[in-house]
Amino acid sequence: MTFDCKQLLIGGLIGGALVAFLQTQTFRKGCAKVVAAGLQLKDDASEFIESVKEDAEDVSAESKQKKAKA
């Protein structure tokens, strides 16, 4: 593998442009929106799972009551 100054320069420019982009307000706002959407999705999923769990517990309790009466 040979050292190529041109490739090093191109890599440095691309890296610098990437760092500059990552520090922009637009990128930060976009990241904040993505994180907020992820947290909302997590909350919605937790509520759904809790609802399913409660329904399963109700069905189980009803089944036990019917077995006890029979």
Side-chain angles (χ1 to χ4, degrees), residues 15-30:
L18 182 62
V19 168
F21 174 70
L22 294 176
Q23 293 176 346
T24 63
Q25 241 358 69
T26 303
F27 180 77
R28 289 181 183 190
K29 287 181 182 178

Side-chain angles (χ1 to χ4, degrees), residues 1 3-5 8 12 14 16 24 27-28 36 40 42 51 54 60:
M1 192 161 141
F3 176 75
D4 188 5
C5 196
L8 180 63
I14 291 172
T24 63
F27 180 77
R28 289 181 183 190
Q40 182 63 43
K42 179 188 120 345
S51 172
E54 288 173 1
S60 176

Side-chain angles (χ1 to χ4, degrees), residues 5-51:
C5 196
K6 186 177 177 182
Q7 290 177 344
L8 180 63
L9 180 62
I10 291 172
L13 289 173
I14 291 172
L18 182 62
V19 168
F21 174 70
L22 294 176
Q23 293 176 346
T24 63
Q25 241 358 69
T26 303
F27 180 77
R28 289 181 183 190
K29 287 181 182 178
C31 285
K33 286 182 180 179
V34 168
V35 169
L39 291 173
Q40 182 63 43
L41 181 63
K42 179 188 120 345
D43 291 342
D44 291 346
S46 293
E47 288 177 18
F48 176 74
I49 290 171
E50 188 64 31
S51 172

Side-chain angles (χ1 to χ4, degrees), residues 56-67:
E57 288 172 350
D58 290 345
V59 168
S60 176
E62 289 174 5
S63 175
K64 288 179 183 178
Q65 282 182 344
K66 287 181 182 179
K67 283 184 181 180

